[in-house]
Amino acid sequence: MANSTEPQKPQNTKKNKKKGATLDTFYGAKIQNTEQTEDNIKENAPKPSKGNGNSPQTYEEFESEMTKKMEAFWEEKLEIMQKKFTHLQNQFDQTVKENQALKARIRQLEDNDRVKEQESIKQSQNTKKLEENIKYLTDKVIDLENRGRRDNLRIIGLPDKPEINTKLDMVIQDIIKENCPEILEQGGNTATDRAHRTPSTLNPQKTTPRNVIAKFQSYQTKEKILQEARKRQFRYKGMPIRVTQDLASSTLNDRRAWNMIFRKARELGLQPRISYPAKLTIYFQGKVWAFNKIEDFQLFAKKRPELCGKFDTENQRARNT
């Protein structure tokens, strides 16, 4: 039994050596065999028959077919993109045209506005000149009207009765005899050209008598009567009346605007007077002050502690109303 086992050991040694050589070259042989197998498959691959549609395709045919499909796909996409680009280009061109048209329109509107602005400036200047001319002409007409009334006297408070209205000339002579007889003694011409009530028609809603306008033949006589009327209260048969210069209605309204200030200035002893055409004069702190506008007088009064707060016409009007 011992002899039979010993010869078997060398056989195992040879097998192991052969096996070890195979392991050393296994990976390299494997790679070479794979490359050879692929080459053999490509060389020995069956070529498709022209008439048989079920035969397999080669790699080149598949690649060619896929290339054609990709080319067709991208050509289709390119055509779509080209159409979209063309559409966008058309929209862009249209937008550019509209933008240019809008710019031209804006320039035209700006030019029109500039022209209108220049015309407006010219119109404003012309309007200002016209307003100045109108004011000048209005003042001129008022001045001419006042000068045309320079021989007239306005009698206020004379009873509005028929027996008086029918003989106004005689009534005026009676007023002169009663209030300033010295004018008659000096041989003054007290004759009147005409005398009438104003307005010509009686307003039943008005309780005060209408004024009487008397035009004297002598301006000097009229002035003497007016000076006497400023000194004292005139009367007619014991009834108080007031005699003033006859003026245009606009001038009278300007003078009436001073009434509240005039009365207050008289209470304060400022010796107020209304001079032609509607100027207020007062005597204050040893000086004579003249004012053409109520605003000027109010500003003057606010700066003087003695007068401040005493000529607040707005509060006075509120109290009266």
Side-chain angles (χ1 to χ4, degrees):
M1 292 298 293
N3 295 329
S4 62
T5 56
E6 291 179 358
Q8 292 177 356
K9 290 180 180 179
Q11 292 177 358
N12 292 335
T13 302
K14 291 180 181 180
K15 288 180 180 180
N16 290 334
K17 289 180 180 180
K18 188 175 181 180
K19 187 176 180 180
T22 304
L23 290 172
D24 292 336
T25 60
F26 174 75
Y27 291 104
K30 184 67 175 176
I31 293 171
Q32 292 177 0
N33 290 335
T34 302
E35 292 176 354
Q36 291 176 0
T37 301
E38 290 178 355
D39 294 338
N40 292 333
I41 290 172
K42 290 180 180 181
E43 291 177 358
N44 298 325
K47 295 181 180 181
S49 175
K50 294 181 179 181
N52 188 1
N54 296 324
S55 47
Q57 292 179 331
T58 62
Y59 178 77
E60 289 80 1
E61 290 176 344
F62 175 75
E63 185 178 7
S64 176
E65 184 178 353
M66 291 302 295
T67 301
K68 290 180 180 179
K69 288 183 179 180
M70 291 298 292
E71 289 177 354
F73 172 78
W74 287 114
E75 286 179 359
E76 182 180 357
K77 291 294 184 182
L78 182 61
E79 184 179 357
I80 294 173
M81 293 177 66
Q82 185 67 32
K83 289 181 180 180
K84 289 184 178 180
F85 178 77
T86 303
H87 179 67
L88 291 174
Q89 184 67 35
N90 293 335
Q91 287 184 340
F92 177 76
D93 294 340
Q94 184 66 24
T95 303
V96 170
K97 292 180 181 179
E98 291 177 355
N99 189 23
Q100 292 176 350
L102 289 174
K103 287 182 178 179
R105 181 62 177 167
I106 290 172
R107 285 195 296 270
Q108 183 179 1
L109 291 174
E110 289 177 349
D111 294 339
N112 292 339
D113 289 340
R114 195 176 297 108
V115 172
K116 289 181 179 180
E117 185 178 359
Q118 293 175 354
E119 291 179 354
S120 177
I121 294 172
K122 291 181 180 178
Q123 289 293 335
S124 299
Q125 294 174 350
N126 293 335
T127 302
K128 186 177 180 180
K129 290 180 180 178
L130 289 174
E131 290 176 352
E132 291 175 354
N133 291 336
I134 290 172
K135 185 179 183 306
Y136 170 77
L137 293 174
T138 302
D139 294 342
K140 191 71 173 176
V141 170
I142 294 173
D143 181 66
L144 291 173
E145 184 177 357
N146 288 329
R147 292 181 183 277
R149 296 169 180 257
R150 64 194 302 268
D151 296 334
N152 297 354
L153 285 179
R154 182 180 290 264
I155 304 172
I156 303 171
L158 191 65
D160 195 352
K161 297 179 180 180
E163 59 271 18
I164 295 177
N165 295 338
T166 55
K167 50 180 182 178
L168 286 174
D169 294 336
M170 296 176 61
V171 170
I172 292 170
Q173 297 299 323
D174 294 339
I175 292 172
I176 296 172
K177 290 178 183 179
E178 184 176 352
N179 295 277
C180 45
E182 62 274 8
I183 296 176
L184 296 175
E185 294 174 358
Q186 295 173 1
N189 182 11
T190 59
T192 57
D193 286 338
R194 69 183 70 88
H196 64 278
R197 293 277 183 177
T198 180
S200 57
T201 57
L202 181 63
N203 185 1
Q205 296 180 354
K206 191 172 182 181
T207 57
T208 58
R210 292 175 293 170
N211 296 344
V212 174
I213 306 297
K215 180 177 175 58
F216 286 82
Q217 294 180 356
S218 172
Y219 172 77
Q220 290 77 13
T221 300
K222 188 268 307 181
E223 282 294 315
K224 290 179 181 180
I225 297 172
L226 187 60
Q227 290 175 4
E228 294 297 327
R230 289 170 179 168
K231 295 177 183 178
R232 59 181 180 275
Q233 177 73 57
F234 271 31
R235 294 180 178 275
Y236 173 69
K237 294 182 179 181
M239 186 178 297
I241 59 174
R242 189 157 62 95
V243 178
T244 63
Q245 173 67 45
D246 181 37
L247 297 168
S249 58
S250 58
T251 306
L252 289 175
N253 292 332
D254 292 339
R255 288 192 168 201
R256 290 191 189 102
W258 290 104
N259 284 348
M260 299 179 68
I261 295 175
F262 186 90
R263 288 195 294 268
K264 188 64 178 179
R266 178 179 288 175
E267 293 175 3
L268 297 175
L270 299 178
Q271 303 177 15
R273 288 190 61 184
I274 302 294
S275 58
Y276 182 82
K279 182 186 298 184
L280 174 69
T281 59
I282 61 172
Y283 186 79
F284 179 72
Q285 293 181 349
K287 296 181 180 180
V288 177
W289 303 84
F291 307 93
N292 291 318
K293 296 181 180 180
I294 296 177
E295 294 79 7
D296 297 338
F297 176 81
Q298 290 176 339
L299 184 62
F300 172 83
K302 287 180 181 179
K303 295 180 179 180
R304 270 70 182 176
E306 302 89 339
L307 304 177
C308 184
K310 297 180 180 179
F311 292 92
D312 193 350
T313 56
E314 293 182 359
N315 292 336
Q316 291 177 8
R317 287 171 184 161
R319 293 193 206 102
N320 294 334
T321 55

